[in-house]
């Protein structure tokens, strides 16, 4: 079955360390996205990519970096420059135009101690 | 830019009650999408609406695309405990990168057995 996989589900890191969150899709979608969700809050866009080897900043890109070397993969690195990295991170993908919406992964909960 | 406002922010109801929530914008949308997010999971698409005035059902869920194209409504009939979660409306951005969805602020639903 096609889908989008985020790993790991739970991640713990020490303050000051960079950490990379994995996102893989086998839906043959061109576009991929990363969102951050804080408790009881909505979705805030971090980065998005409409095509391989291209990506754009979203609303809260500071302290994050991404790469899109393969169509299937869109990893997110949370750097030590991110002031408050503890959050729930969601990856999504879509066909061009997004008229059928996004398919979301099941999320990664990052806790920085 | 385009924004989507959802109301109410939260609802606490008894099992068996009907639920209504809405999503409004100051600008026009050509597509309305409704998502549900279970606790600790990624959002899942419930209903997609593509035409002004359209009324679409999915089991106990019914959604409508407002005539003005600036709003949409979601109703849940005879709520059950598994309806608990956050409900988001969304629509494709009309300017710039049309792959991007604009998400509403979310309605948190709690159902007491």
């Amino acid at each position: 079955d096609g889908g989008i996989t985020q790993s790991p589900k739970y991640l713990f890191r020490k303050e000051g360390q960079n950490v990379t969150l994995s996102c893989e899709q086998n839906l043959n979608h061109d576009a991929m996205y990363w969102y951050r969700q804080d408790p009881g809050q909505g979705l805030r866009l971090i980065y998005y990519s409409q095509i391989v080897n291209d990506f754009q900043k979203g609303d809260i890109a500071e302290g994050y970096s991404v790469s899109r070397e393969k169509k299937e993969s869109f990893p997110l690195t949370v750097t030590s420059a991110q002031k408050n990295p503890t959050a729930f991170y969601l990856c999504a993908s879509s066909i061009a135009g997004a008229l059928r919406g996004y398919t979301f992964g099941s999320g990664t909960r990052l806790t920085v101690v | 830019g385009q924004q989507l406002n959802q109301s109410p922010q939260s609802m606490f109801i008894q099992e068996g009650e009907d639920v209504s929530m809405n999503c409004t914008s100051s600008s026009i949308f050509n597509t309305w999408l409704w998502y549900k997010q279970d606790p600790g999971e990624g959002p899942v698409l419930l209903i997609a609406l593509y035409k002004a005035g359209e009324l679409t059902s999915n089991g106990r869920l019914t959604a409508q695309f407002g005539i003005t194209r600036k709003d949409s409504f979601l109703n849940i009939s005879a709520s059950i405990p598994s309806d608990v979660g956050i409900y988001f409306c969304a629509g494709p951005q009309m300017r710039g990168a049309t792959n991007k969805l604009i998400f509403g602020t979310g309605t948190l639903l709690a159902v007491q057995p």
Side-chain angles (χ1 to χ4, degrees), chain B residues 51-110:
Chain B
K51 188 177 175 182
E54 180 181 355
L55 188 71
T56 297
S57 293
N58 179 4
R60 293 178 296 105
L61 276 62
T62 301
Q64 183 161 23
F65 193 138
I67 289 291
T68 65
R69 294 163 62 195
K70 293 183 178 182
D71 55 12
S72 180
F73 307 88
L74 177 69
N75 296 318
I76 304 173
S77 63
S79 59
I80 59 178
S82 63
D83 290 334
V84 163
I86 304 176
Y87 291 79
F88 291 102
C89 61
Q93 183 172 283
M94 295 294 285
R95 297 190 193 88
T98 56
N99 274 355
K100 283 175 59 180
L101 288 182
I102 308 296
F103 282 89
T105 48
T107 293
L108 174 66
L109 179 63

Side-chain angles (χ1 to χ4, degrees), chain A residues 22-43:
Chain A
S22 170
C23 180
E24 303 276 335
Q25 54 98 0
N26 60 2
L27 298 164
N28 200 32
H29 285 171
D30 288 307
M32 296 186 75
Y33 315 82
W34 274 105
Y35 284 87
R36 171 182 172 136
Q37 187 177 33
D38 292 289
Q41 301 298 311
L43 307 174

Side-chain angles (χ1 to χ4, degrees), chain A residues 50-70:
Chain A
Q50 298 188 55
I51 197 168
V52 175
N53 292 322
D54 186 48
F55 49 82
Q56 286 81 40
K57 293 181 179 180
D59 302 317
I60 56 165
E62 186 175 349
Y64 299 98
S65 66
V66 293
S67 63
R68 187 85 188 277
E69 297 176 2
K70 298 187 301 180

Side-chain angles (χ1 to χ4, degrees), chain A residues 31-35 45 47-48 74 90-94 98 102, chain B residues 99:
Chain A
M32 296 186 75
Y33 315 82
W34 274 105
Y35 284 87
L45 182 63
Y47 268 98
Y48 64 102
F74 191 40
L90 285 161
C91 180
S93 67
S94 74
Y102 296 170
Chain B
N99 274 355

Side-chain angles (χ1 to χ4, degrees), chain A residues 36 38 44 64 78 80-87 89 112:
Chain A
R36 171 182 172 136
D38 292 289
R44 293 190 289 170
Y64 299 98
V78 184
S80 56
Q82 169 50 233
K83 297 285 185 261
N84 185 17
T86 295
Y89 290 88
V112 176

